[in-house]
Amino acid sequence: MIESRVDETVTAEKAVVDVYVHPAISSLDPMIKDLLESLTPIRFKDCQNLFERRPGDVVLSLSGDERVAEELWKRQVRHFHAMPRRVERGASGNSSKVVFTASRQLKPLLRNRALRHAALSNVPVLRDPGGEVLAYFDRRPVWIETRKDGCVGQRVSIPLPDLRPGEQPLDYLNGSNFMQLLPLLQFLVKETEEIGWRHAPLRACFTLDDPNLRLPSYGFLNYRDLIEQAQKHHFHVALAMIPVDVWSTHSNTVSLIKRSSQWVSLLIHGNDHTRAELGWSRPRERTLAILGQSLSRIEWLEKTTALRVDRVMVPPHNALSDKIAPLLLASGFEGAAVAMTDLRDRNPEMVNRSTFGLRMAEMTSGGFPVLGRIELSAACEGDVVISATLGAPIIFGGHHECAAGGLDLLSDCAATVNSLGDVQWCNLETILRSNYLSRQENSRLWIQPYSCRLDLRVPEGVSSMMIIGPDLQKAGAFRLIRKSDVVPGRRTVLVHANTPFDVVPGEAVELISSNLGTIDHRHIKMARPSAWAQVRRFLCEARDRGRAFLPVARAARKPREMPIAPEKT
C-alpha cells in the first residue's frame, strides 16, 4: 500500500515516497538525482544495508550485482535494478532502434512503438531475463519487469548516465537519446501515481515562421490548402508573422483566417527579423523600444483587420536571451516558443539547471515561460513521444519549405501526435493558459504554474487553492480574477504563493502574474524604422516566394483547388 511508503509527517502538498539507493546516493550523478526528485514526488535515501529494508519499501539498486537482485526479492521490496555504468555513445550519425512491447505495464503512448535511438556500445546482456520484456534495444531485451507475490521488480541493462562537464539530463532524455533515463523515470512515476501531480491534457500546435498575409500564399504555403488539410487531418497551425510585414494585407486571406480560427492562429515573430534580434542584451530602453514597436505594428494590424494575434513571441533564428525575458513579460507577452537547445546555447548559465528543457515550460527570468519547439521533420516521432511522456506540450517549428513537396509532412506529423491518444490541437495562447500541474487533497487544490497566466475552473469539492512550485520566486504574486457568475460580480484580488485562498466550486478564474504587462508600450519611445531592415525583409520575402516558382518546386507542388482571387486592400 502506498501509505506505508509515504512520509505522513509532512504536509500533503509535499508528500513524498522514500526511495532507498543501494549501495549509496553517491552512486547517482548529482544532476540526475536532482532531476528525478524534481519530476516525481520522491526523496532518495542511502541504503548500504539491504537487511534494514521492509516489505513494500522502494529500492534503487545500482550495484549491478545479481546477488543483490536476489536479496531484493527475498526482502519483498519493490525495486529497480540497473547495471553499472559501462556503455558509451556510438559514432556520430549512427543509430539504433528501441522497440517497446505491448505490455500493459507501459504507458499507452509507449506501447508498440519503434523509435530511433543514438547508438550505444557495450550494452550488457540481461542474463536469464525472465519476466515480461518492456523494451528491446537492437533486438535484445534491455528493460524487463517481473512480479512475484505482489511485489514488482524492474531490471535494465542500459545504465544510468554519468554526466560529463557541460552535459545535462536533457542530453539523455530527448527524442534521440532516452533509454538511460526513461525506464527509471517511468518506474518512479508509477510508484508515486497516487500522490503525483496531474498534468494538463496532451496539447499540440504547428508553428511556421515568416508568413505574411499580403497574398493568398507565402512561398510553398497556400493558406486555403493548409486550412483544408488541418480540417481533414485534425491539427492547428500558428503562423508567426514579422511585425514589419503587416502594412499590407489581402482581404480574402484575412477573411479566410478569421473564419478558420479553430485551425489557424497568428503569432509574433520578432520585430524587423534582423539576426539574433532578441538573442543578446541591449540597453533596457532600446529593448523596450523594439518590443513596443513590434506590439504597435501588431495592434495596427488588429485594428485594421479585426484579426486576433496571440501575445506569444517566436524569436527570429531561435535566439532568445534570458536577460530580455523580463522585458517581454513586462511588455505583455505571455510567453515564447524556442528550441530548447538553442535557448541553452544562447544562455550558457542554464547548463546548471538539472530540469532544463524537461518541464512543461522553462521559466526564465521574472517568471517568463518559454515553450520548447521541436523540428518539423519526418523523424519527429521520438521527440513527440518524449515530450508527451514528460507532459509537455508538443510544439513543432518550421518554415514554408516544409510544404515544398505538399502538405503531407504536416499531415504525417499530425498523425504521429494523434496516435498518442486524445490530443487537444490549439493555439499557443490556449496552451500557455492551461500550462500547470494540479493536485487535489480533500477540499484544497494545489497549482504548480508553468505560465504567467492561467485559465481554470475550480473542481467540485474544492473550497481553497494554493500556488506552489520551484520557480515562484521569479513569478511574484498573482492576480486572481473571478470570471463566472457563480460569484456575483467580477472581483480581483491579489494572492501569493504558498498562501491558501478561498474559491468557489465550479467558478471560472484567471491567475495572472503581477509581472505581466506592467509596462505600457504606448508610453515608450518607439524604435526608429530601419530602412535596411525593410530592404532586407523585402529581399528575403522575394527569395521565399521565388523558390516556389522554380521548375523543381513547381513539379513537387500539388495543384491548388479553389484559388482565391488576387484582391488587395
Side-chain angles (χ1 to χ4, degrees):
M1 297 293 291
I2 192 76
E3 289 77 14
S4 67
R5 304 195 300 278
V6 177
D7 185 347
E8 297 180 340
T9 64
V10 296
T11 55
E13 70 270 25
K14 294 183 180 179
V16 295
V17 171
D18 289 332
V19 177
Y20 297 92
V21 183
H22 178 80
I25 291 178
S26 58
S27 303
L28 267 177
D29 185 281
M31 290 192 80
I32 299 299
K33 172 185 176 294
D34 290 345
L35 170 77
L36 296 173
E37 288 183 332
S38 297
L39 295 186
T40 60
I42 65 165
R43 176 175 50 205
F44 286 117
K45 289 187 172 182
D46 275 321
C47 174
Q48 294 182 352
N49 188 355
L50 289 176
F51 295 100
E52 296 176 353
R53 302 280 54 86
R54 300 173 298 171
D57 283 349
V58 181
V59 173
L60 170 58
S61 169
L62 298 177
S63 68
D65 191 335
E66 291 300 321
R67 294 171 297 179
V68 170
E70 294 173 5
E71 185 62 33
L72 294 172
W73 285 115
K74 290 179 183 178
R75 307 215 64 80
Q76 292 187 303
V77 297
R78 306 169 71 83
H79 60 273
F80 186 95
H81 184 70
M83 293 290 187
R85 303 167 182 154
R86 295 186 213 166
V87 302
E88 296 179 359
R89 291 281 294 271
S92 178
N94 292 347
S95 65
S96 297
K97 182 175 288 187
V98 173
V99 176
F100 295 99
T101 67
S103 172
R104 298 190 65 81
Q105 308 310 320
L106 290 171
K107 279 189 172 185
L109 58 84
L110 289 176
R111 295 173 194 164
N112 293 314
R113 290 199 183 272
L115 304 179
R116 291 187 178 276
H117 193 283
L120 298 174
S121 60
N122 303 321
V123 175
V125 177
L126 286 173
R127 299 178 182 176
D128 186 24
E132 182 180 15
V133 178
L134 303 184
Y136 294 89
F137 187 88
D138 284 344
R139 301 184 180 181
R140 290 179 292 177
V142 293
W143 184 14
I144 293 170
E145 178 170 297
T146 304
R147 292 176 176 266
K148 296 180 184 178
D149 302 323
C151 188
V152 62
Q154 291 189 1
R155 287 187 293 165
V156 293
S157 62
I158 300 179
L160 296 177
D162 188 10
L163 303 187
R164 291 170 288 191
E167 288 188 331
Q168 290 175 292
L170 174 64
D171 297 307
Y172 294 88
L173 195 52
N174 57 62
S176 61
N177 190 22
F178 50 84
M179 279 305 289
Q180 289 182 258
L181 270 179
L182 181 64
L184 177 56
L185 177 60
Q186 293 305 291
F187 174 81
L188 295 175
V189 166
K190 198 165 186 179
E191 288 298 307
T192 58
E193 59 187 353
E194 293 182 30
I195 61 170
W197 291 88
R198 179 185 175 189
H199 284 79
L202 287 176
R203 297 150 297 152
C205 183
F206 289 111
T207 63
L208 298 177
D209 299 351
D210 300 345
N212 58 48
L213 308 182
R214 279 202 272 274
L215 291 171
S217 63
Y218 183 88
F220 294 101
L221 285 176
N222 174 271
Y223 298 135
R224 187 181 295 279
D225 291 348
L226 179 64
I227 291 168
E228 289 177 354
Q229 195 84 341
Q231 291 174 315
K232 180 179 179 181
H233 295 277
H234 187 60
F235 61 80
H236 185 99
V237 180
L239 305 177
M241 296 190 308
I242 304 169
V244 76
D245 274 353
V246 303
W247 57 272
S248 172
T249 58
H250 187 287
S251 60
N252 284 4
T253 300
V254 169
S255 297
L256 179 65
I257 299 293
K258 284 182 189 176
R259 296 194 307 268
S260 310
S261 58
Q262 182 179 353
W263 314 108
V264 65
S265 57
L266 302 174
L267 302 173
I268 303 174
H269 192 36
N271 182 37
D272 288 329
H273 201 282
T274 53
R275 180 161 294 280
E277 195 169 35
L278 302 177
W280 52 287
S281 180
R282 298 179 177 87
R284 182 175 186 273
E285 294 306 317
R286 173 60 179 162
T287 299
L288 287 175
I290 292 172
L291 299 179
Q293 187 178 57
S294 172
L295 288 169
S296 293
R297 288 166 166 171
I298 292 300
E299 285 182 350
W300 182 88
L301 173 72
E302 291 177 324
K303 182 178 179 180
T304 56
T305 64
L307 287 168
R308 172 77 174 88
V309 182
D310 291 345
R311 295 311 191 258
V312 180
M313 175 62 73
V314 178
H317 307 105
N318 261 319
L320 177 65
S321 168
D322 183 57
K323 294 179 176 61
I324 289 178
L327 299 181
L328 283 161
L329 184 65
S331 297
F333 288 92
E334 295 185 25
V338 180
M340 282 292 120
T341 51
D342 287 313
L343 182 65
R344 181 174 62 183
D345 291 344
R346 287 279 171 181
N347 303 277
E349 69 279 3
M350 292 184 176
V351 173
N352 298 322
R353 303 181 189 178
S354 63
T355 61
F356 178 82
L358 299 176
R359 294 187 181 274
M360 302 173 77
E362 191 64 26
M363 301 301 287
T364 56
S365 298
F368 183 72
V370 178
L371 300 171
R373 291 210 300 178
I374 61 180
E375 183 182 358
L376 177 53
S377 75
C380 71
E381 187 174 11
D383 288 311
V384 166
V385 171
I386 296 303
S387 293
T389 300
L390 294 169
I394 302 164
I395 301 171
F396 294 93
H399 292 80
H400 73 102
E401 290 93 344
C402 294
L407 295 170
D408 289 344
L409 176 59
L410 278 77
S411 302
D412 292 344
C413 290
T416 298
V417 173
N418 292 330
S419 71
L420 299 173
D422 187 14
V423 180
Q424 180 184 0
W425 286 87
C426 52
N427 59 42
L428 292 198
E429 181 181 273
T430 299
I431 288 176
L432 281 164
R433 295 186 184 186
S434 61
N435 220 39
Y436 62 90
L437 303 177
S438 63
R439 180 173 179 270
Q440 183 176 342
E441 182 75 18
N442 299 321
S443 62
R444 177 164 295 171
L445 183 71
W446 283 276
I447 296 292
Q448 193 171 130
Y450 287 93
S451 186
C452 60
R453 183 169 184 170
L454 302 176
D455 286 338
L456 63 150
R457 186 170 293 277
V458 180
E460 292 300 323
V462 169
S463 59
S464 69
M465 291 173 55
M466 187 155 66
I467 303 169
I468 66 173
D471 298 306
L472 292 180
Q473 70 275 12
K474 304 174 182 177
F478 287 81
R479 284 177 287 139
L480 172 68
I481 301 177
R482 305 180 188 276
K483 301 196 300 180
S484 65
D485 296 332
V486 176
V487 178
R490 183 181 175 91
R491 296 187 293 133
T492 301
V493 297
L494 197 65
V495 298
H496 297 271
N498 302 314
T499 302
F501 51 91
D502 294 335
V503 291
V504 176
E507 71 171 325
V509 300
E510 273 187 284
L511 286 168
I512 304 176
S513 169
S514 59
N515 295 334
L516 176 63
T518 56
I519 296 175
D520 187 344
H521 69 272
R522 301 173 189 86
H523 298 156
I524 299 293
K525 184 178 180 180
M526 294 296 150
R528 180 178 298 177
S530 167
W532 161 242
Q534 293 176 341
V535 169
R536 180 183 182 278
R537 179 60 199 140
F538 174 80
L539 293 174
C540 289
E541 180 178 350
R543 174 204 62 196
D544 291 346
R545 293 188 181 280
R547 283 177 178 173
F549 293 97
L550 294 175
V552 174
R554 288 202 304 269
R557 295 178 68 193
K558 295 182 178 180
R560 293 188 299 169
E561 298 178 3
M562 299 182 296
I564 304 174
E567 177 182 332
K568 280 201 168 188
T569 60

